[in-house]
């Protein structure tokens, strides 16, 4: 599932390729979105010029003057740029296309967990914002008994982290994913803060992670590179050389991988 670095990679490509272009047509391809497609929100964009793309957490917004369109890639959604005109019916799982007179942006979403339109939910700070500090983590975790990994993936606490980057940050900080968040010591909060910023920055620098069968690709169809830097996610042996373990109890509905030697 695309997380902050993958969505930021998409945002940068779209901002470069589409800013200043005028939306010439919208083709909504299926009437069966996971949530119904806001046709008015889409068709109202025709004739408008793109002023940029913004990102908050894992949400992307196409900006066109005072209008905007919120997009969420869900589990396996992909935004693809093509030079072919909109309306090619042979593209599978295509939910909508936005034509820019010569360029087309396609939203392909096989599992239909993607989201189009609607307001943005409430988010915690962005990991690379100055508002995100060890003190912020201390306050956010105060008295919380929930597993640290669950809170890191809670978008209302901190924006943008999912399974991959939370798993990697906890490994780098030497903290087990099942630890009650409120019990972390000051030094651990500082390590965790640094580790989160490191993995997010690396993820963006390497243009995201391409793992799993629903592998992420950027709008040009190119894979990311962070998968070559993961220390434990999707591995049996950690980069530390130890055999990895999984939590018996699920955290955020799945068992969490960790190194029983390096993570306390
Ligand atoms: Zn280890």
């Amino acid at each position: 599932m695309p997380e902050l670095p993958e969505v930021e990679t998409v945002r940068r490509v779209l901002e470069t390729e589409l800013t200043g272009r005028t939306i010439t047509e919208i083709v909504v391809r299926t009437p069966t979105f996971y949530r119904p497609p806001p046709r008015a929100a889409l068709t109202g964009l025709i004739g408008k010029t793109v002023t940029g793309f913004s990102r908050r957490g894992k949400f992307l917004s196409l900006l066109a003057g005072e209008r905007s369109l919120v997009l969420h890639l869900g589990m396996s959604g992909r935004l693809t740029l093509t030079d072919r005109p909109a309306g090619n019916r042979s593209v599978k799982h295509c939910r909508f296309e936005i034509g820019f007179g010569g360029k087309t942006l396609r939203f392909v979403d096989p599992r239909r967990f993607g989201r189009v339109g609607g307001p943005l939910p409430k988010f915690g700070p962005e990991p690379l914002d100055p508002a995100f500090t060890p003190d912020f983590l201390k306050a956010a975790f105060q008295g919380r008994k929930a597993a640290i990994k669950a809170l890191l993936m809670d978008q209302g606490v901190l924006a943008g982290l999912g399974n991959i980057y939370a798993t990697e940050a906890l490994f780098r900080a030497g903290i087990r994913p099942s630890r009650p968040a409120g019990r972390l010591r000051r030094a651990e909060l500082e390590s965790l803060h640094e580790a989160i910023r490191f993995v997010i920055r690396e993820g963006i620098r390497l243009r995201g992670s391409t793992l799993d069968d629903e592998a992420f690709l950027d709008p040009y169809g190119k894979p990311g590179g962070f998968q070559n830097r993961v220390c434990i996610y999707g591995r049996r042996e950690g980069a530390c050389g130890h055999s990895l373990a999984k939590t018996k109890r699920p955290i955020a509905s799945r068992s969490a991988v960790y190194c029983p030697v390096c993570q306390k």
Side-chain angles (χ1 to χ4, degrees):
M1 172 172 179
E3 301 178 30
L4 191 162
E6 290 74 42
V7 179
E8 178 62 18
T9 300
V10 172
R11 189 196 71 76
R12 291 179 181 190
V13 171
L14 298 185
E15 179 143 292
T16 305
E17 296 286 346
L18 300 176
T19 300
R21 287 184 174 259
T22 300
I23 296 169
T24 52
E25 67 178 320
I26 307 264
V27 180
V28 176
R29 295 276 297 277
T30 44
T32 50
F33 269 88
Y34 185 62
R35 288 170 206 231
R39 274 177 190 273
L42 286 166
T43 52
L45 290 167
I46 293 174
K48 299 284 187 286
T49 299
V50 175
T51 46
F53 284 81
S54 63
R55 181 194 54 74
R56 188 76 172 89
K58 305 173 196 171
F59 284 76
L60 198 63
S61 297
L62 178 156
L63 310 172
E66 67 278 20
R67 276 186 179 269
S68 65
L69 179 68
V70 170
L71 298 166
H72 190 280
L73 300 173
M75 298 294 288
S76 56
R78 225 172 247 176
L79 285 162
T80 305
L81 279 172
T82 169
D83 292 334
R84 290 169 184 266
N88 181 350
R89 302 226 148 249
S90 64
V91 181
K92 272 193 181 168
H93 309 299
C94 181
R95 303 300 173 214
F96 71 80
E97 292 173 294
I98 303 179
F100 296 86
K103 258 195 204 315
T104 302
L105 177 65
R106 277 185 194 141
F107 184 55
V108 175
D109 186 20
R111 287 177 61 177
R112 300 187 184 187
F113 286 109
R115 203 175 122 178
V116 182
L120 284 172
K122 290 249 181 281
F123 290 106
E126 293 281 325
L128 300 182
D129 268 8
F132 177 60
T133 59
D135 281 333
F136 166 81
L137 284 179
K138 186 167 187 273
F141 295 163
Q142 194 97 52
R144 302 287 301 265
K145 292 186 181 116
I148 176 67
K149 189 180 174 198
L151 288 193
L152 290 184
M153 291 168 64
D154 179 340
Q155 303 300 296
V157 173
L158 182 62
L161 269 71
N163 203 8
I164 298 173
Y165 295 92
T167 297
E168 290 294 305
L170 286 166
F171 172 77
R172 287 179 177 273
I175 299 166
R176 288 202 187 186
S178 53
R179 288 270 302 279
R183 301 252 184 86
L184 296 185
R185 295 188 305 272
R186 177 74 200 183
E188 290 175 319
L189 292 172
E190 284 175 4
S191 304
L192 182 59
H193 171 259
E194 198 180 310
I196 290 169
R197 289 170 58 93
F198 177 83
V199 296
I200 292 296
R201 252 197 247 110
E202 279 292 280
I204 293 172
R205 186 177 71 80
L206 296 167
R207 303 174 60 86
S209 330
T210 302
L211 290 146
D212 311 313
D213 42 351
E214 289 158 357
F216 164 78
L217 296 175
D218 76 8
Y220 302 125
K222 284 194 282 191
F226 187 76
Q227 68 280 4
N228 302 319
R229 297 291 308 275
V230 295
C231 295
I232 61 167
Y233 183 88
R235 298 174 56 144
R236 270 193 212 151
E237 189 187 280
C240 51
H242 303 125
S243 290
L244 301 175
K246 281 185 173 177
T247 55
K248 285 193 196 82
R249 282 207 197 161
I251 298 173
S253 75
R254 56 210 285 193
S255 65
V257 67
Y258 66 98
C259 175
V261 180
C262 300
Q263 290 174 265
K264 312 283 182 205

